[in-house]
Amino acid sequence: MFTGIITGVGRIAAIHDLGTSSSYGKRLSIEVPDGYLDDVGLGDSIALNGACMTVTTLAPERGQFTIDISAESLDKTAGLTDEGSRINLEKALRASDRLGGHIVSGHVDGIGHVSFFAPVGESWELRVVAPLALARFLAYKGSITINGVSLTVNSVSDIAEGAEVSINLIPHTVENTSLGGLKAGSKVNLEIDTVARYVERMLQAGMLTPSLTSSTSPKDTSK
């Protein structure tokens, strides 16, 4: 579990094939800021651009760790196959941590693309087109995770290919995440708000499932 508050920006230092065909995944070596691995152990979860991954080896003296990513995960995510690219990092949430963003699972729901990214006043406007399957989960002032960053939707417009959301990025976010390197056409990992996911499920099942408040036990006829 994560919060969408980025704890560091790393770099994909190397990519190694785990097999000889496209059905195999890859091993990624991730370079991190000084001291980032001080409290990380083997098997810990770290989100890379919003995708939850497991630490498989550690090399704190070189400021690197590795993860193994399956072919399926590679097919369902973006930005994890470009050696040298900067990526957002977030360590898994601890019970004692502050929930500064929103509840994020680290499971990418779909890939969107940037339609507009430019400075507006002191901030930046980022517009992202989400695929049709995710459009119904996006709402004004709702939460969305883009490349692992918890963000608030300023506006949402339904279009033929899905929905275009507009987001305001303050300078701190641009400077301290990899989002500052985005441009029109860039692919991004999207995760919808967990609450929206459950609301949709309840609406789908609402007509078929008895209410939890209704009594289903037989009446007491002993009196």
Side-chain angles (χ1 to χ4, degrees):
M1 194 65 69
F2 305 89
T3 69
I5 303 299
I6 301 306
T7 56
V9 178
R11 184 180 72 89
I12 300 178
I15 301 175
H16 303 284
D17 294 331
L18 293 176
T20 57
S21 72
S22 59
S23 62
Y24 289 88
K26 297 183 183 295
R27 177 165 295 149
L28 275 57
S29 296
I30 309 299
E31 186 179 272
V32 299
D34 291 343
Y36 190 80
L37 299 175
D38 289 352
D39 60 347
V40 174
L42 289 177
D44 281 0
S45 295
I46 297 180
L48 310 183
N49 272 1
C52 179
M53 298 293 164
T54 300
V55 175
T56 53
T57 68
L58 281 167
E61 71 283 357
R62 293 190 289 113
Q64 291 189 5
F65 70 94
T66 66
I67 63 99
D68 290 349
I69 180 170
S70 68
E72 171 69 11
S73 293
L74 286 170
D75 183 58
K76 297 297 189 294
T77 59
L80 298 180
T81 57
D82 300 322
E83 190 170 325
S85 64
R86 299 171 73 241
I87 54 172
N88 293 319
L89 305 174
E90 185 186 353
K91 300 171 186 176
L93 177 69
R94 294 173 294 194
S96 60
D97 288 342
R98 291 174 175 169
L99 188 62
H102 70 283
I103 296 174
V104 175
S105 68
H107 300 154
V108 175
D109 291 306
I111 297 175
H113 69 268
V114 176
S115 57
F116 179 85
F117 187 48
V120 178
E122 78 287 355
S123 300
W124 290 67
E125 183 184 4
L126 172 65
R127 297 181 206 157
V128 171
V129 174
L132 191 61
L134 302 185
R136 65 186 181 279
F137 297 104
L138 305 174
Y140 172 63
K141 296 302 180 184
S143 295
I144 187 172
T145 307
I146 298 179
N147 277 359
V149 184
S150 172
L151 298 166
T152 301
V153 175
N154 282 347
S155 69
V156 56
S157 303
D158 292 318
I159 57 177
E161 56 186 304
E164 182 182 57
V165 295
S166 175
I167 294 157
N168 179 73
L169 299 182
I170 62 173
H172 177 85
T173 302
V174 174
E175 294 164 5
N176 291 279
T177 71
S178 66
L179 296 185
L182 295 177
K183 58 185 178 181
S186 295
K187 292 183 178 180
V188 290
N189 294 322
L190 303 177
E191 182 183 332
I192 59 172
D193 187 6
T194 300
V195 175
R197 193 192 315 273
Y198 281 108
V199 168
E200 191 217 19
R201 176 60 181 161
M202 288 187 289
L203 289 173
Q204 285 182 342
M207 299 302 294
L208 303 176
T209 306
S211 170
L212 292 176
T213 59
S214 63
S215 174
T216 56
S217 59
K219 293 184 179 179
D220 185 356
T221 58
S222 62
K223 294 181 180 179

